[in-house]
């Protein structure tokens, strides 16, 4: 199943929202990779297995389930998560892309490929719709967490 959505950060029609810079959003999305526990519901632990300049390999623990993934950085606009196929789980990808169509707008586009085929049955369509909604809510929460980190001064680039 492939799907995407966009979460607005800075928008002309929302002038009262805290404005974030592209650099702050990038720093926050990198934080989400290196320390995902505060960002991901039900994630108990994350172990960094390998860390390079442009990629990280991690082990994520959700209760009794462990998942390994690799995350690739394409600064300052894109982060790509790749989960390799594991017993009971197909390979999957998530690409987060910072979009800045003009100086007043900033958003993150989330592109998902769950590695599963969409089916035409009613109950599976219902579950797919539910899953898409859950992912959207989680991504809105991620942007909300970035706003909190920015207010706390934790997304200020080093000088």
């Amino acid at each position: 199943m492939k799907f995407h959505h966009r979460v607005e950060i800075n928008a002309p029609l929302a002038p009262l929202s805290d404005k974030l810079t592209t650099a702050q959003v990038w720093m926050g999305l990198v934080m989400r990779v290196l320390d995902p526990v505060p960002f991901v519901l039900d994630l108990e632990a994350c172990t960094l297995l390998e860390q390079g300049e442009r990629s990280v390999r991690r082990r994520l623990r959700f209760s009794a389930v462990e998942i390994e993934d690799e995350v690739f950085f394409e600064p300052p606009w894109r982060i790509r998560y790749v989960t390799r196929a594991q017993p009971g789980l197909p390979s999957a990808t998530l690409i987060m892309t910072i979009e800045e169509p003009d100086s007043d707008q900033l958003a993150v586009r989330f592109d998902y490929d769950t590695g599963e085929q969409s089916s035409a049955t009613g109950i599976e369509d219902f579950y797919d719709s539910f899953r898409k909604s859950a992912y959207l809510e989680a991504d809105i929460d991620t942007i909300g967490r970035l706003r909190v980190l920015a207010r706390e001064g934790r997304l200020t680039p080093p000088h």
Side-chain angles (χ1 to χ4, degrees), residues 73-136:
F73 302 103
E74 300 173 34
W77 302 105
R78 183 172 291 122
I79 296 177
R80 183 170 43 100
Y81 295 74
V82 177
T83 304
R84 307 225 186 286
Q86 298 168 56
L89 296 171
S91 64
T93 60
L94 162 60
I95 300 171
M96 296 180 180
T97 306
I98 298 172
E99 297 180 341
E100 190 174 24
D102 62 49
S103 62
D104 291 336
Q105 294 181 315
L106 187 62
V108 177
R109 178 183 166 113
F110 297 83
D111 287 279
Y112 288 92
D113 182 348
T114 67
E116 300 169 329
Q117 297 296 323
S118 292
S119 65
T121 67
I123 192 71
E124 289 176 0
D125 284 346
F126 170 78
Y127 285 123
D128 287 350
S129 176
F130 181 80
R131 187 170 18 178
K132 288 177 186 177
S133 294
Y135 281 30
L136 174 59

Side-chain angles (χ1 to χ4, degrees), residues 5-139:
H5 51 255
R6 224 170 153 252
V7 179
E8 296 285 333
I9 299 169
N10 300 342
L13 298 177
L16 299 179
S17 295
D18 296 338
K19 301 283 187 203
L20 299 181
T21 66
T22 303
Q24 288 175 309
V25 173
W26 177 256
M27 285 183 65
L29 294 179
V30 170
M31 286 174 121
R32 185 185 185 278
V33 171
L34 301 177
D35 183 17
V37 173
F39 291 89
V40 180
L41 184 66
D42 295 329
L43 178 61
E44 294 176 358
C46 173
T47 304
L48 299 180
L49 303 172
E50 290 179 31
Q51 188 170 358
E53 187 176 318
R54 298 274 179 141
S55 67
V56 173
R57 197 166 60 85
R58 316 177 301 170
R59 180 176 297 122
L60 307 168
R61 190 179 75 231
F62 297 87
S63 193
V65 176
E66 286 194 353
I67 297 170
E68 286 193 17
D69 70 1
E70 194 164 2
V71 185
F72 300 91
F73 302 103
E74 300 173 34
W77 302 105
R78 183 172 291 122
I79 296 177
R80 183 170 43 100
Y81 295 74
V82 177
T83 304
R84 307 225 186 286
Q86 298 168 56
L89 296 171
S91 64
T93 60
L94 162 60
I95 300 171
M96 296 180 180
T97 306
I98 298 172
E99 297 180 341
E100 190 174 24
D102 62 49
S103 62
D104 291 336
Q105 294 181 315
L106 187 62
V108 177
R109 178 183 166 113
F110 297 83
D111 287 279
Y112 288 92
D113 182 348
T114 67
E116 300 169 329
Q117 297 296 323
S118 292
S119 65
T121 67
I123 192 71
E124 289 176 0
D125 284 346
F126 170 78
Y127 285 123
D128 287 350
S129 176
F130 181 80
R131 187 170 18 178
K132 288 177 186 177
S133 294
Y135 281 30
L136 174 59
E137 290 303 316
D139 296 335

